[in-house]
Amino acid sequence: MTNNSKDYLRAAAAGASPVGLVILLYERLITDLTRAVAAMEKGDMETRVAQINHAFLILGQLEGSLDSRQAPEAARTQALFYSVARAKILEAHIKSNRQMLEEQIVLFNDVRAAWEQVDPARNAKAPLPPLLPSEATNESDEELTVLDASA
């Protein structure tokens, strides 16, 4: 990830509401999975593994931010969603199944769009389109960071 990209993410996270942080995590998760698909198409196992591992870190962050005291049913539903998504991503990785990863991208885009409805302070954006293979190159990430959504 370039320094400009890191600076942008830090600035976006610093000014974001708790819901805005969740949205940023979903955006990064979608980006990671899109890059994993592109790496899968190229046969680039190293990038694919790195992107999927980072997606798992983000799923863990999202799961860790669930508050079962305030909304137990919603937290239970989201936890189940994350668990199933993690299993599907792992299965797609093991089977080298691009379509399964793309299905998860669509689902995460839908959920991200729903979170946008919850945060009126954030300008609604259209769902992120999948990156084209030429855009989904390995950026030689020195570090893969996860934003703190538990704020």
Side-chain angles (χ1 to χ4, degrees):
M1 185 175 291
T2 65
N3 284 336
N4 288 341
S5 297
K6 289 179 188 177
D7 292 343
Y8 172 78
L9 284 174
R10 284 188 188 107
S17 67
V19 172
L21 289 173
V22 170
I23 294 166
L24 287 171
L25 285 169
Y26 271 96
E27 289 172 351
R28 182 57 199 256
L29 178 59
I30 292 163
T31 298
D32 289 345
L33 294 177
T34 302
R35 289 178 179 159
V37 167
M40 192 179 285
E41 290 173 350
K42 292 182 197 173
D44 183 352
M45 181 64 83
E46 184 178 344
T47 299
R48 182 171 115 191
V49 168
Q51 295 301 316
I52 287 177
N53 283 342
H54 193 254
F56 285 151
L57 286 173
I58 292 173
L59 279 172
Q61 186 73 23
L62 287 165
E63 206 165 16
S65 69
L66 296 174
D67 187 353
S68 60
R69 292 171 299 188
Q70 287 189 358
E73 189 59 34
R76 210 172 8 261
T77 301
Q78 281 297 109
L80 179 59
F81 172 68
Y82 296 144
S83 178
V84 170
R86 184 179 291 111
K88 291 290 188 184
I89 292 167
L90 182 59
E91 182 181 359
H93 177 56
I94 290 168
K95 292 181 176 179
S96 293
N97 188 319
R98 190 180 117 215
Q99 182 180 2
M100 288 177 74
L101 280 181
E102 290 171 343
E103 289 169 1
Q104 295 309 302
I105 292 168
V106 169
L107 291 172
F108 285 121
N109 239 333
D110 290 347
V111 175
R112 183 191 64 79
W115 276 106
E116 293 237 347
Q117 301 290 322
V118 174
D119 192 0
R122 184 177 161 98
N123 289 332
K125 295 190 304 191
L128 292 175
L131 294 176
L132 298 173
S134 63
E135 297 174 310
T137 59
N138 181 357
E139 296 177 345
S140 66
D141 286 352
E142 296 165 5
E143 63 181 63
L144 295 175
T145 56
V146 176
L147 303 171
D148 182 10
S150 60

